[in-house]
Amino acid sequence: MKDYTSGYSRDILLKPQEEVLNQIISWLRRHSFSPEDIAKAEEIWVRYIKKSGNYRANSRTWAAAVIYFLGKIRGHKWLNQTFLAKSFSVSPGGISQRWQQIQRALQEAEGRERTEDVTEGFFTPVAAEVFRKLMNYTQTSDKWKNFVGDIFFQFVGVETPPLPIDLIIELLIFITCDRTLPEGKKIIDYFIAENAGKLQPEEEEFLQTIKASRFSVFKVEAILERSRLLLADYYRENEVEVQVRESGHIEQGDIIMSRIVPAEKEGLWRFGGNLVTLRPSAAKELSDLAGKWFWEYSVANKGWATGESFIQENSFRFWRWLIGH
């Protein structure tokens, strides 16, 4: 008799992690999946935990993400984010975030380049170092250390689940490089001015690039070629062309939440930072969720739900809420 066990010992799993695995196996058995598929799903989860160990957040979201990943591997197109979100009572955005987190960890564990990742090297060693200097500046400056800490706490607080590291970085970029202060400047402007003559050309180039970057929700209007996408910016109601290494798994109609930065060629952009992609089937639900959330939040906080400044100010807060559900 053929052995369909995954070959990866579940002995390394802590109780909460094992509960996720039990949810995965139970769901697959209820839906009559083969022993091979069940073993593969177990392998995905155990390998991910062995590599990352990061399992906190809604256990149903993790279970749905593993099954979605299994569906992509096996070619089960009916295992889409919308179907699984309804089945597990979680959000499509949460599934998208978690399965890509699993995918990255497994690819890194195998020592492969992330060939399907459309993001280019944004945080190079030079960029990472100057960003560290910017963060250190906010923590040592009497003017900014309490301000940044207070804003960070407003967005993150002591809630669970904790943010993935890429979204923590995105939040720090938002606080220091996106938010315009009452005097019309941003924290990054003060950092550049106070360090004039001290920065290397590559460091200053990165700071100017990140200062000009945009965080938004985009719809893929067209795949112009393997290395170029036409995106509709939902926040600004315009279109942008984005260069990618290759379009890979992105399809026309997909919804992408990411930061874009100016590319070397004028008029073009490229992805930088966190990238979350939702299939068209999940886009309508995300649109409805976002509309409802922004409206209710604006009423509670006396804002204007359709105003760009209000949306930009609270877009990260919405995403924070979404991935926790």
Side-chain angles (χ1 to χ4, degrees):
M1 183 176 179
K2 189 172 181 179
D3 181 11
Y4 290 118
T5 58
S6 69
Y8 287 83
S9 174
R10 62 163 64 189
D11 293 343
I12 67 169
L13 301 180
L14 301 176
K15 186 175 180 180
Q17 299 164 343
E18 191 163 7
E19 288 176 358
V20 173
L21 180 58
N22 290 337
Q23 288 184 56
I24 294 167
I25 293 174
S26 176
W27 192 93
L28 292 174
R29 284 175 175 166
R30 286 200 310 273
H31 291 80
S32 303
F33 277 75
S34 68
E36 298 98 320
D37 282 343
I38 294 173
K40 185 63 178 178
E42 180 174 344
E43 175 189 328
I44 291 169
W45 181 239
V46 174
R47 285 180 60 209
Y48 170 72
I49 291 299
K50 186 176 181 180
K51 166 62 181 176
S52 173
N54 184 355
Y55 66 94
R56 292 172 292 181
N58 190 324
S59 63
R60 298 191 309 276
T61 302
W62 282 111
V66 170
I67 294 170
Y68 178 70
F69 195 7
L70 174 70
K72 290 182 72 67
I73 293 173
R74 299 300 202 210
H76 302 323
K77 293 186 177 180
W78 62 276
L79 284 178
N80 56 60
Q81 293 170 1
T82 300
F83 173 77
L84 290 169
K86 291 179 179 177
S87 184
F88 282 88
S89 299
V90 296
S91 74
I95 295 174
S96 177
Q97 178 73 31
R98 299 306 175 193
W99 92 260
Q100 290 181 74
Q101 195 172 333
I102 293 169
Q103 182 189 47
R104 287 196 298 268
L106 296 189
Q107 288 178 341
E108 289 168 4
E110 293 174 5
R112 298 204 316 260
E113 293 185 358
R114 292 156 57 183
T115 55
E116 288 192 337
D117 194 350
V118 298
T119 61
E120 297 182 16
F122 181 54
F123 272 98
T124 63
V126 171
E129 174 59 18
V130 72
F131 190 71
R132 184 195 65 78
K133 291 178 181 178
L134 174 60
M135 292 301 101
N136 185 60
Y137 168 74
T138 66
Q139 295 303 302
T140 56
S141 167
D142 291 336
K143 185 174 183 178
W144 301 121
K145 59 183 177 182
N146 291 332
F147 173 82
V148 173
D150 289 345
I151 298 299
F152 191 90
F153 184 80
Q154 287 176 27
F155 279 84
V156 178
V158 294
E159 304 172 23
T160 56
L163 286 175
I165 186 63
D166 47 6
L167 284 185
I168 290 178
I169 292 174
E170 185 59 51
L171 175 55
L172 292 172
I173 294 174
F174 168 73
I175 295 172
T176 57
C177 305
D178 288 353
R179 300 193 81 196
T180 301
L181 303 170
E183 53 268 38
K185 293 184 178 181
K186 303 173 181 179
I187 291 178
I188 192 172
D189 293 319
Y190 290 96
F191 175 73
I192 292 173
E194 293 179 27
N195 287 274
K198 301 177 184 178
L199 298 170
Q200 298 296 322
E202 297 87 351
E203 294 179 326
E204 188 157 354
E205 180 182 359
F206 169 77
L207 291 171
Q208 294 297 340
T209 297
I210 201 171
K211 182 181 172 183
S213 66
R214 301 176 181 176
F215 182 74
S216 191
V217 176
F218 304 93
K219 179 182 179 182
V220 180
E221 295 287 358
I223 300 175
L224 303 177
E225 52 190 59
R226 286 185 63 85
S227 60
R228 205 153 47 92
L229 306 173
L230 179 65
L231 306 182
D233 186 331
Y234 273 7
Y235 286 179
R236 298 164 184 83
E237 298 184 350
N238 60 15
E239 292 183 340
V240 293
E241 288 190 22
V242 177
Q243 289 181 327
V244 294
R245 286 188 294 188
E246 58 177 284
S247 56
H249 59 278
I250 291 182
E251 300 174 1
Q252 185 173 349
D254 280 355
I255 300 296
I256 296 174
M257 178 170 280
S258 181
R259 180 171 294 274
I260 58 173
V261 300
E264 292 183 4
K265 186 175 180 181
E266 187 175 355
L268 293 180
W269 298 78
R270 60 189 177 92
F271 288 119
N274 186 58
L275 176 67
V276 175
T277 305
L278 296 175
R279 290 293 178 244
S281 57
K284 178 62 166 60
E285 184 172 350
L286 176 62
S287 176
D288 291 344
L289 272 174
K292 182 174 184 291
W293 186 91
F294 273 110
W295 178 258
E296 291 179 350
Y297 193 84
S298 68
V299 171
N301 292 273
K302 300 180 180 179
W304 189 249
T306 57
E308 180 178 341
S309 60
F310 182 85
I311 292 174
Q312 285 186 306
E313 176 70 16
N314 294 289
S315 60
F316 192 93
R317 185 175 278 111
F318 164 69
W319 194 243
R320 175 74 177 94
W321 171 84
L322 183 65
I323 65 173
H325 288 72

